[in-house]
Amino acid sequence: MKILIINHYAVPPVESGGTRHYSLGKELMKRGHKVKILAANFSHQKRVPLVPGVHKSIHENYYDELPFIWIKVPPYKRNSPARAINMLSFTKTLLVNKYFRDMDRPDIVIGSSPHPFAAWAAYRLALRWNVPFVFEVRDLWPQSLIDLGRISPKHPGVRFLAKLEKLLCRNAVKIITLLPGARDYIQSLGIKSDKIVWVPNGIDVSLSLKEEHKTHTGLFTIMYAGNHGFGNGLENIVKCAEILNNAGHSRIIFRLIGDGPQKEYLRRIAAEKNLSNIRFEEPVPKKDIPTVLKQADAFIMLMKDSPVFKWGVSPNKLFDYLYAARPIIFAVNAYNNPVKEGKAGITVPPEDPQKLAEAVIRLYNMSYDERMQMGLNGQKYVLENHDFTALGAKLEKALLESIAIYNENKKRLRNNSGY
């Protein structure tokens, strides 16, 4: 198969951000398929071009023989109208640029929906090439915005996004979802269950190092590595750090690694409280994440308490935490709980800094062997359930089925038309 994957925010492991399609693309290539990834030449994490010094509207380069086609887009600094222009510019280039009219026709197109306009452009390209379209649902647009309280369900933009979501679901041959409970939501749109395939995020063992023991510094390190966004609820880590600081737990520190719209706010409130036990660090490339995670004694996975997570969670960082073989404090009210399933840590209610602090102290007071057993449980769980080798095979099966279904439907239409 010649497979075209369109994801506005896809990045290779030399950058910080989501490397899902890099890892899946590599697995598909190992199985003999040709893969190309289309993405924007702009880092959502760092707000700078991913490939600097390139002035062409479209630029291609390779990462481990996997081609990325970078599309030039306008920059933005925060969630503002400039970001919407960035999204629409990416979409417009896909639809009108001569490069895509002249490129070799793929056998199948995957449109991923960190935002739905890129997925819609993928659908239009699939129509132009007369090939099957597969819709990858990452965030449930617009339901996620509604559930997070960011927008009213009566807003005209919500109604437009809802119509766009239904159009993409109905016209996709298959729907790939990352969230284990999203099947129920998608079926509520009138979509048959057999169109929906769950392919969650996972771990790419080729990017990871062999187990290393943490260098002892005399400090107990709780780490969070990921986006500093509105839905992450990181202010609860700051409040937890304050509770522990006031209780005299000077050997427990928090390291928050990453970037996002809330980072400066979090840094400011930590400074106002004179908290010396919390550190804010810059994002690191995906390839360096395994090394950084080995420096932790435990991790925190948390989100705001929102109905959006009733469909489940599948964040990259959680699977990286599990593979790093350290215990995890899971503070998410979600459809699924991999930490509980894998016996890999402690579950506490979301948005409860006191319970969070109690869980930290509980881990701190455990023996090294008890904590290590939790970590090893998690590593075993993630290898058995979320290794990209197995996930790549699952995606390959869905794509081959999509092509077979699409060709059968074309044949049926030709027969019915009398030709």
Side-chain angles (χ1 to χ4, degrees):
M1 285 184 290
K2 291 187 291 185
I3 304 160
L4 182 65
I5 302 173
I6 298 176
N7 174 5
H8 187 126
Y9 300 109
V11 296
V14 293
E15 300 291 340
S16 57
T19 57
R20 168 184 173 83
H21 288 127
Y22 163 86
S23 296
L24 287 172
K26 273 201 320 174
E27 291 301 328
L28 291 167
M29 288 173 64
K30 287 178 187 176
R31 294 170 174 274
H33 307 294
K34 295 182 178 179
V35 182
K36 289 185 177 181
I37 298 176
L38 284 176
N41 185 20
F42 187 77
S43 170
H44 180 63
Q45 299 279 344
K46 300 177 183 176
R47 306 294 201 263
V48 296
L50 289 160
V51 185
V54 175
H55 302 292
K56 296 186 294 183
S57 60
I58 296 173
H59 173 72
E60 183 173 338
N61 58 8
Y62 290 76
Y63 301 88
D64 299 322
E65 300 184 351
L66 176 59
F68 273 71
I69 301 171
W70 300 110
I71 297 176
K72 185 178 180 180
V73 290
Y76 59 89
K77 292 295 183 183
R78 57 187 64 86
N79 289 330
S80 65
R83 185 177 179 190
I85 292 170
N86 175 284
M87 294 177 181
L88 294 173
S89 173
F90 180 83
T91 303
K92 180 182 176 182
T93 300
L94 288 173
L95 295 176
V96 305
N97 194 283
K98 186 175 182 293
Y99 179 95
F100 300 106
R101 291 198 297 271
D102 296 342
M103 75 180 292
D104 289 342
R105 185 180 77 115
D107 296 310
I108 194 164
V109 177
I110 302 173
S112 187
S113 70
H115 68 79
F117 305 115
W120 177 73
Y123 164 59
R124 298 299 304 178
L125 286 174
L127 281 179
R128 179 189 298 172
W129 287 317
N130 194 22
V131 299
F133 164 66
V134 172
F135 182 29
E136 182 183 79
V137 178
R138 297 171 69 92
D139 296 316
L140 299 174
W141 293 77
Q143 194 61 44
S144 295
L145 295 175
I146 296 168
D147 288 343
L148 285 170
R150 304 288 296 279
I151 194 168
S152 166
K154 297 181 180 179
H155 192 283
V158 165
R159 293 175 179 173
F160 169 76
L161 289 172
K163 288 182 179 179
L164 181 56
E165 178 185 55
K166 286 182 181 179
L167 180 143
L168 294 172
C169 285
R170 288 172 180 169
N171 287 281
V173 182
K174 290 280 185 181
I175 299 168
I176 306 295
T177 176
L178 281 67
L179 307 178
R183 179 181 299 272
D184 296 337
Y185 172 80
I186 296 168
Q187 284 183 263
S188 74
L189 303 177
I191 306 302
K192 292 182 179 179
S193 176
D194 59 4
K195 282 182 67 168
I196 306 165
V197 182
W198 179 45
V199 183
N201 275 323
I203 52 116
D204 187 339
V205 176
S206 70
L207 300 178
S208 302
L209 302 175
K210 293 182 179 179
E211 174 65 19
E212 298 174 358
H213 291 289
K214 177 180 178 286
T215 302
H216 293 287
T217 62
L219 298 174
F220 189 79
T221 301
I222 308 289
M223 188 178 291
Y224 171 91
N227 186 43
H228 293 40
F230 294 99
N232 298 107
L234 297 188
E235 62 273 15
N236 292 290
I237 294 183
V238 178
K239 293 174 183 177
C240 174
E242 183 182 18
I243 291 169
L244 295 174
N245 185 66
N246 292 341
H249 290 284
S250 59
R251 292 187 61 242
I252 299 174
I253 65 164
F254 296 84
R255 291 177 60 186
L256 274 61
I257 300 167
D259 206 348
Q262 289 288 86
K263 185 168 184 173
E264 289 309 312
Y265 164 73
L266 296 165
R267 198 196 301 268
R268 187 173 68 252
I269 60 174
E272 289 171 356
K273 297 176 184 296
N274 295 314
L275 298 179
S276 60
N277 60 344
I278 185 166
R279 303 172 184 176
F280 295 91
E281 303 178 28
E282 295 305 305
V284 297
K286 181 71 173 184
K287 66 181 179 64
D288 295 333
I289 282 288
T291 302
V292 173
L293 296 186
K294 298 297 183 186
Q295 300 166 12
D297 291 286
F299 302 110
I300 289 182
M301 170 67 206
L302 75 173
M303 294 283 193
K304 283 189 174 295
D305 191 6
S306 168
V308 71
F309 304 119
K310 66 186 175 185
W311 312 112
V313 291
S314 186
N316 287 300
K317 56 180 168 285
L318 177 56
F319 304 113
D320 291 334
Y321 293 169
L322 289 163
Y323 188 67
R326 304 290 190 268
I328 302 165
I329 301 172
F330 188 83
V332 187
N333 184 13
Y335 176 94
N336 60 322
N337 183 342
V339 173
K340 184 178 180 180
E341 293 166 21
K343 299 179 182 179
I346 300 171
T347 298
V348 300
E351 300 193 53
D352 192 332
Q354 183 61 47
K355 293 293 186 185
L356 201 60
E358 291 171 7
V360 170
I361 294 170
R362 182 178 161 192
L363 287 176
Y364 175 73
N365 288 330
M366 279 183 185
S367 69
Y368 173 82
D369 288 343
E370 286 178 296
R371 291 196 301 269
M372 182 53 66
Q373 187 58 57
M374 284 183 172
L376 293 174
N377 290 345
Q379 189 178 73
K380 180 174 183 289
Y381 171 84
V382 80
L383 285 170
E384 289 177 352
N385 297 279
H386 292 276
D387 186 343
F388 268 121
T389 301
L391 297 178
K394 192 173 186 180
L395 178 60
E396 178 192 43
K397 181 174 182 288
L399 298 181
L400 290 170
E401 287 177 356
S402 297
I403 291 175
I405 292 168
Y406 187 81
N407 289 337
E408 181 61 31
N409 288 341
K410 283 202 302 183
K411 181 179 178 181
R412 188 179 300 115
L413 285 172
R414 284 197 302 268
N415 291 340
N416 290 341
S417 67
Y419 291 96

